[in-house]
Amino acid sequence: MHIHILTVLPELLESPFNHSILKRAKDKGLLEISVHHLRRWAVNEYGQVDDYQFGGGAGMVIMCEPLVKAIEELSADKIFDEIIFLTPDGERLSQPIANQLSLRENILMICGHYKGIDQRVRDHFVTREISIGDYVLSGGELAAAVLVDAIGRLLPGVLNDETSALFDSFQDNLLAPPVYTRPEVYRDWKVPEILLSGDHKKINEWRYEEAVKRTQERRPDIIKDE
Ligand code: 6GU
């Protein structure tokens, strides 16, 4: 998979993809990430990419021209399966959306800033608009980093059996059960006996029950009635 990201703040995206699981995905050649500075397509020598909004009001809007030039240039040698605009008024990101996007080959993500981007780019180029939750960030960059992480870890070959995404919270509409590691007793806090029993059938039952209990307590909204 190749993900391109268009942004006015490429520095914000320097580190997030260079560690841990996403780094491994890149090193294995399963994921390529290209961050492009929108200023490369600025409308003048001052590097202008935004302007005041028609109708008045505070806040700048990213102009059509730099975005369209960037999209067309980046599209020259491939077809983007999705052109995603990260925006708080988009569809709220969920595990099913991440699963779906992980099956794509080429994705372009556009990070908004200031008041957003000219609506005409959304109307004519953007195929999907995504928000990462009901709160406002100062720009789309951190949201893009979240989306890339959620997608990248699902690519076949990125996770091994032990870290398999099949057991993630949300993947089966259940939150993950509690986990413990050594020592068996810390201060006077003991690890649940069952986990030390070596009885894997019992352990799996316990984990499932704990997952259900935790989900009922914390997120009854995600439990599916089947
Ligand atoms: Cl995608 N962008 C911004 N600016 N704020 C957000 C968001 C995106 N998702 C949630 N809040």
Side-chain angles (χ1 to χ4, degrees):
M1 169 181 285
H2 194 158
I3 299 176
H4 293 260
I5 305 176
L6 207 43
T7 169
V8 291
L9 284 173
E11 299 87 353
L12 256 182
L13 293 169
E14 267 165 24
S15 169
F17 312 128
N18 294 329
H19 308 277
S20 183
I21 287 171
L22 289 190
K23 177 176 192 297
R24 200 166 73 207
K26 293 205 302 180
D27 291 346
K28 282 183 166 177
L30 301 168
L31 175 64
E32 191 174 345
I33 300 168
S34 307
V35 178
H36 307 279
H37 198 329
L38 188 65
R39 295 222 189 274
R40 211 174 113 195
W41 294 276
V43 298
N44 56 34
E45 67 206 89
Y46 308 108
Q48 186 182 355
V49 294
D50 57 359
D51 210 334
Y52 297 99
Q53 56 177 316
F54 282 125
M60 305 296 274
V61 174
I62 299 184
M63 305 162 85
C64 284
E65 184 178 314
L67 286 169
V68 171
K69 277 187 170 164
I71 293 167
E72 289 182 341
E73 187 178 322
L74 295 174
S75 303
D77 58 345
K78 67 191 143 314
I79 293 167
F80 285 114
D81 303 304
E82 297 279 5
I83 297 181
I84 299 170
F85 176 45
L86 281 309
T87 177
D89 59 5
E91 179 184 11
R92 189 157 36 162
L93 181 60
S94 61
Q95 194 61 53
I97 293 176
N99 293 351
Q100 216 177 56
L101 292 174
S102 74
L103 302 174
R104 308 281 195 262
E105 214 34 65
N106 291 295
I107 295 179
L108 174 62
M109 297 185 188
I110 300 173
C111 303
H113 243 272
Y114 321 113
K115 275 284 155 195
I117 66 174
D118 192 297
Q119 181 62 37
R120 290 167 290 188
V121 175
R122 299 171 70 163
D123 293 341
H124 297 286
F125 291 92
V126 170
T127 60
R128 194 148 193 175
E129 303 193 323
I130 292 178
S131 158
I132 62 162
D134 292 342
Y135 43 83
V136 177
L137 303 170
S138 13
E141 286 75 16
L142 298 180
V146 166
L147 183 56
V148 169
D149 189 295
I151 295 171
R153 59 193 296 286
L154 297 174
L155 299 177
V158 172
L159 299 182
N160 52 38
D161 281 352
E162 276 163 56
T163 54
S164 169
L166 290 176
F167 302 110
D168 287 345
S169 284
F170 300 109
Q171 215 45 291
D172 46 11
N173 293 81
L174 282 180
L175 301 180
V179 294
Y180 300 84
T181 186
R182 289 187 291 184
E184 284 177 26
V185 183
Y186 177 73
R187 299 199 172 165
D188 58 348
W189 306 323
K190 291 200 187 81
V191 169
E193 207 66 53
I194 184 91
L195 295 176
L196 312 173
S197 69
D199 183 338
H200 289 287
K201 186 162 172 284
K202 282 248 166 65
I203 290 171
N204 282 337
E205 284 165 9
W206 180 87
R207 284 182 171 153
Y208 179 74
E209 284 160 19
E210 291 296 316
V212 170
K213 208 189 310 174
R214 188 169 268 195
T215 311
Q216 279 166 344
E217 278 168 15
R218 300 180 179 197
R219 294 297 304 277
D221 57 298
I222 68 169
I223 295 181
K224 245 203 235 136
D225 293 317
E226 277 169 62

